[in-house]
Amino acid sequence: EAKMQAALSLQRADDVEQYTRRNNVRVFGIPESATEDCETKVLDLFNNKLGLSLTSADIEAAHRVGRPLQPRQRDGDNDSDSDDEQRPRAVIVRFISRKSVYAVLSNRRKLKNTRLVIAEDLPVAKYQLLMKCRNHDNVDNAWSSSGKILVRCKADNRIREIKSASE
């Protein structure tokens, strides 16, 4: 009984956090520079690569997330991938309306076969669950939609919503 209540409380907290992130997207792969205007960079991406017509009035905030990258010190190990060393931090974009979020997310497939990726902004727990699902042997594909984790199983090719790692 107490464990179920605790799990339910955690689920509710996660749902509330997801609700606060519903107007956000994360953009991965935008090159990083010392003096940059993230809003201008993402507007350029959305309008020129996705074919949208968004303006700065549609964006509440846009900034990098995570620690600034420091170049790694080479210690004679040539096995490390230089691409990883240069991977830019993600840009989180908060839109004024969900209409803009849906427009961006529904057009993100136009970035296929590029180094650019646009994803929903998920809470840490949901993101970790998504990564577990993607790496699971019985899962053909895993993605998020409206804050829900969805998977296509290899066995029956059906799409299911996953709420916990135990599923």
Side-chain angles (χ1 to χ4, degrees):
E1 179 73 27
K3 282 186 180 182
M4 286 178 57
Q5 285 294 343
L8 186 60
S9 293
L10 282 173
Q11 181 64 44
R12 284 185 184 147
D14 193 51
D15 290 345
V16 168
E17 185 177 355
Q18 182 62 54
Y19 186 80
T20 65
R21 294 172 183 247
R22 71 185 177 174
N23 284 8
N24 300 352
V25 297
R26 287 184 185 245
V27 183
F28 301 90
I30 296 178
E32 195 166 349
S33 59
T35 57
E36 68 181 358
D37 179 4
C38 288
E39 185 175 304
T40 302
K41 283 186 172 188
V42 296
L43 280 172
D44 181 56
L45 169 69
F46 299 153
N47 294 333
N48 296 330
K49 302 265 194 223
L50 302 184
L52 301 174
S53 55
L54 299 175
T55 67
S56 59
D58 295 310
I59 295 177
E60 186 176 322
H63 59 86
R64 298 274 177 183
V65 289
R67 267 186 284 191
L69 299 180
Q70 301 296 322
R72 287 190 208 156
Q73 295 296 319
R74 294 264 174 158
D75 55 344
D77 179 16
N78 290 331
D79 290 340
S80 64
D81 187 12
S82 62
D83 197 34
D84 282 345
E85 293 176 29
Q86 302 303 320
R87 185 171 293 149
R89 294 177 294 159
V91 176
I92 190 162
V93 182
R94 182 166 186 84
F95 290 96
I96 298 296
S97 78
R98 275 188 283 165
K99 286 181 183 177
S100 299
V101 174
Y102 293 140
V104 168
L105 291 175
S106 64
N107 283 284
R108 64 184 168 178
R109 69 182 157 279
K110 294 177 182 175
L111 298 175
K112 195 168 184 122
N113 300 321
T114 70
R115 291 180 170 257
L116 299 169
V117 175
I118 299 173
E120 286 186 281
D121 183 30
L122 298 172
V124 174
K126 280 195 177 178
Y127 178 77
Q128 289 171 342
L129 179 59
L130 177 61
M131 292 300 108
K132 280 183 183 178
C133 290
R134 284 186 175 162
N135 295 323
H136 196 280
D137 291 336
N138 296 330
V139 172
D140 187 37
N141 193 5
W143 66 96
S144 67
S145 179
S146 299
K148 297 176 181 169
I149 306 301
L150 302 169
V151 299
R152 181 183 312 274
C153 298
K154 288 179 180 177
D156 58 9
N157 209 29
R158 289 179 43 202
I159 296 173
R160 293 187 175 94
E161 180 181 353
I162 304 296
K163 294 185 178 182
S164 69
S166 63
E167 294 180 57

